[in-house]
């Protein structure tokens, strides 16, 4: 799985879940607490489904470790 590159808005790093595949977006949405996604105003445009990059990075790393463990056990 490819890791998203964050966008910097008002000094904070964000990712937009719509940049993920539908399957990946569904998996992370089911993992997130309610109200984790934000709408951010950037240069007069509203960007929806934004997630703090640190939260996304934690999920990404946890998800990758789980996949590696599973692959290791598949023999």
């Amino acid at each position: 799985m490819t890791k998203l590159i964050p966008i910097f808005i008002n000094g904070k790093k964000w990712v937009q879940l719509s940049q993920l595949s539908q399957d990946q977006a569904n998996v992370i949405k089911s993992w997130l607490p309610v109200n984790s996604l934000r709408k951010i105003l950037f240069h007069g445009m509203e960007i929806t489904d934004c997630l703090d990059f640190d939260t996304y990075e934690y999920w990404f790393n946890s998800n990758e470790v789980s996949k590696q463990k599973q692959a290791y056990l598949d023999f």
Side-chain angles (χ1 to χ4, degrees):
M1 172 174 25
T2 303
K3 188 174 181 179
L4 294 179
I5 297 171
I7 52 176
F8 290 88
I9 300 174
N10 298 328
K12 193 166 180 178
K13 296 188 281 186
W14 299 93
V15 293
Q16 194 173 12
L17 293 191
S18 60
Q19 295 175 349
L20 294 170
S21 71
Q22 188 66 38
D23 290 338
Q24 290 173 331
N26 289 338
V27 170
I28 195 170
K29 284 178 186 177
S30 70
W31 176 82
L32 288 171
V34 176
N35 299 325
S36 296
L37 298 179
R38 302 281 184 250
K39 292 180 184 178
I40 300 171
L41 193 61
F42 183 65
H43 294 282
M45 296 185 311
E46 186 177 75
I47 303 173
T48 60
D49 72 342
C50 291
L51 179 64
D52 176 82
F53 181 74
D54 292 335
T55 303
Y56 166 75
E57 188 171 43
Y58 177 83
W59 171 82
F60 181 86
N61 291 335
S62 298
N63 197 37
E64 285 300 302
V65 167
S66 294
K67 285 183 180 179
Q68 288 173 0
K69 284 183 182 177
Q70 184 179 16
Y72 179 73
L73 295 174
D74 287 344
F75 51 91

